[in-house]
Amino acid sequence: TLFRSGYGLQTGEINTVIYNTHAKRAFPVMLVESVPWYLRLYVHTLTITTKGKENKPSYIHYQPAKDRLHPHLLEMLIQLPASSATKITIQFERALLKWTEYPPDRKS
Protein backbone atom coordinates (compact mmCIF):
# COMPACT_ATOMS: atom_id res chain seq x y z
CA THR A 1 0.00 0.00 0.00
CA LEU A 2 1.44 3.37 -1.03
CA PHE A 3 0.00 6.72 0.00
CA ARG A 4 1.01 10.33 0.59
CA SER A 5 0.17 12.23 3.73
CA GLY A 6 0.63 15.73 5.04
CA TYR A 7 -1.22 18.96 4.66
CA GLY A 8 -0.71 22.05 2.55
CA LEU A 9 1.08 22.19 -0.75
CA GLN A 10 4.67 22.51 0.45
CA THR A 11 5.62 19.42 2.48
CA GLY A 12 4.40 15.88 3.04
CA GLU A 13 5.34 12.26 3.62
CA ILE A 14 5.33 9.14 1.47
CA ASN A 15 4.19 6.02 3.34
CA THR A 16 4.51 2.47 2.07
CA VAL A 17 3.15 -0.52 4.00
CA ILE A 18 4.23 -4.06 3.06
CA TYR A 19 2.45 -7.07 4.59
CA ASN A 20 3.84 -10.56 5.13
CA THR A 21 0.84 -12.79 5.82
CA HIS A 22 2.78 -16.04 6.02
CA ALA A 23 2.48 -17.43 9.56
CA LYS A 24 5.96 -18.94 9.95
CA ARG A 25 8.28 -17.69 7.21
CA ALA A 26 10.23 -14.43 6.86
CA PHE A 27 10.83 -13.07 3.37
CA PRO A 28 13.47 -10.75 1.91
CA VAL A 29 11.88 -8.04 -0.24
CA MET A 30 13.55 -5.66 -2.69
CA LEU A 31 11.61 -2.40 -2.57
CA VAL A 32 12.10 -0.08 -5.55
CA GLU A 33 10.56 3.39 -5.33
CA SER A 34 10.62 5.85 -8.20
CA VAL A 35 9.64 9.32 -7.00
CA PRO A 36 9.02 12.28 -9.36
CA TRP A 37 11.74 14.93 -9.51
CA TYR A 38 9.44 17.69 -8.24
CA LEU A 39 9.19 15.97 -4.82
CA ARG A 40 12.46 16.76 -3.03
CA LEU A 41 13.14 13.80 -0.72
CA TYR A 42 14.66 14.22 2.73
CA VAL A 43 16.59 10.94 2.81
CA HIS A 44 17.69 11.50 6.44
CA THR A 45 14.01 11.09 7.47
CA LEU A 46 13.75 7.55 6.02
CA THR A 47 12.33 5.20 8.66
CA ILE A 48 11.45 1.52 8.44
CA THR A 49 9.45 -0.01 11.29
CA THR A 50 8.17 -3.54 11.81
CA LYS A 51 6.06 -4.45 14.86
CA GLY A 52 6.99 -1.12 16.47
CA LYS A 53 10.76 -1.69 16.12
CA GLU A 54 13.28 -0.23 13.70
CA ASN A 55 14.06 -2.51 10.75
CA LYS A 56 17.40 -1.78 9.08
CA PRO A 57 17.70 -2.67 5.38
CA SER A 58 20.59 -4.95 4.44
CA TYR A 59 21.09 -3.04 1.17
CA ILE A 60 20.17 0.51 0.21
CA HIS A 61 20.82 2.49 -2.97
CA TYR A 62 19.66 6.05 -3.60
CA GLN A 63 20.04 7.95 -6.84
CA PRO A 64 18.92 11.57 -6.54
CA ALA A 65 16.74 13.16 -9.21
CA LYS A 66 17.85 15.69 -11.78
CA ASP A 67 15.35 18.50 -12.14
CA ARG A 68 13.12 18.02 -15.18
CA LEU A 69 15.23 15.05 -16.41
CA HIS A 70 14.76 11.92 -14.30
CA PRO A 71 13.12 10.87 -11.00
CA HIS A 72 14.63 9.82 -7.67
CA LEU A 73 15.41 6.11 -7.40
CA LEU A 74 15.40 4.41 -4.00
CA GLU A 75 16.17 0.67 -3.69
CA MET A 76 16.20 -1.25 -0.41
CA LEU A 77 16.48 -4.91 0.57
CA ILE A 78 14.28 -5.44 3.64
CA GLN A 79 13.67 -8.58 5.69
CA LEU A 80 9.95 -9.05 6.45
CA PRO A 81 9.32 -11.16 9.58
CA ALA A 82 6.47 -13.68 9.61
CA SER A 83 2.96 -12.28 10.19
CA SER A 84 4.02 -8.65 10.10
CA ALA A 85 3.36 -5.27 8.54
CA THR A 86 6.38 -3.11 7.68
CA LYS A 87 5.94 0.64 7.28
CA ILE A 88 8.42 2.73 5.28
CA THR A 89 8.16 6.53 5.53
CA ILE A 90 10.13 9.38 3.99
CA GLN A 91 9.40 13.10 4.08
CA PHE A 92 9.47 15.38 1.06
CA GLU A 93 9.10 18.97 -0.05
CA ARG A 94 7.52 20.02 -3.32
CA ALA A 95 9.66 21.98 -5.77
CA LEU A 96 8.31 25.07 -7.43
CA LEU A 97 7.06 24.33 -10.93
CA LYS A 98 7.15 26.68 -13.90
CA TRP A 99 3.71 27.84 -14.87
CA THR A 100 3.87 25.73 -18.05
CA GLU A 101 4.57 22.54 -16.05
CA TYR A 102 1.27 22.43 -14.19
CA PRO A 103 -1.26 19.92 -15.54
CA PRO A 104 -4.19 21.42 -17.42
CA ASP A 105 -7.52 22.00 -15.70
CA ARG A 106 -10.05 19.28 -16.34
CA LYS A 107 -12.81 20.13 -18.74
CA SER A 108 -16.03 21.37 -17.19
Side-chain angles (χ1 to χ4, degrees):
T1 307
L2 174 71
F3 56 94
R4 290 189 310 200
S5 63
Y7 56 91
L9 295 175
Q10 191 63 24
T11 60
E13 188 174 77
I14 298 173
N15 298 294
T16 306
V17 180
I18 304 172
Y19 298 94
N20 179 4
T21 57
H22 198 279
K24 297 180 181 177
R25 187 165 178 211
F27 291 102
V29 172
M30 176 65 85
L31 177 68
V32 179
E33 298 260 4
S34 178
V35 181
W37 65 267
Y38 54 85
L39 298 179
R40 307 275 167 85
L41 296 181
Y42 294 134
V43 181
H44 70 280
T45 65
L46 176 67
T47 58
I48 304 167
T49 55
T50 305
K51 297 182 179 179
K53 296 180 181 175
E54 185 179 5
N55 186 350
K56 295 213 179 235
S58 55
Y59 168 79
I60 189 165
H61 172 76
Y62 172 68
Q63 180 180 343
K66 297 247 191 237
D67 283 359
R68 297 170 179 81
L69 294 178
H70 64 80
H72 300 273
L73 180 65
L74 181 61
E75 299 175 334
M76 295 179 285
L77 183 60
I78 304 168
Q79 190 72 19
L80 300 182
S83 300
S84 67
T86 300
K87 183 176 182 181
I88 300 110
T89 61
I90 189 166
Q91 295 178 359
F92 67 84
E93 179 180 84
R94 286 185 177 84
L96 293 174
L97 298 177
K98 296 178 183 176
W99 72 273
T100 56
E101 294 173 332
Y102 284 93
D105 293 337
R106 67 181 193 122
K107 296 181 181 179
S108 302

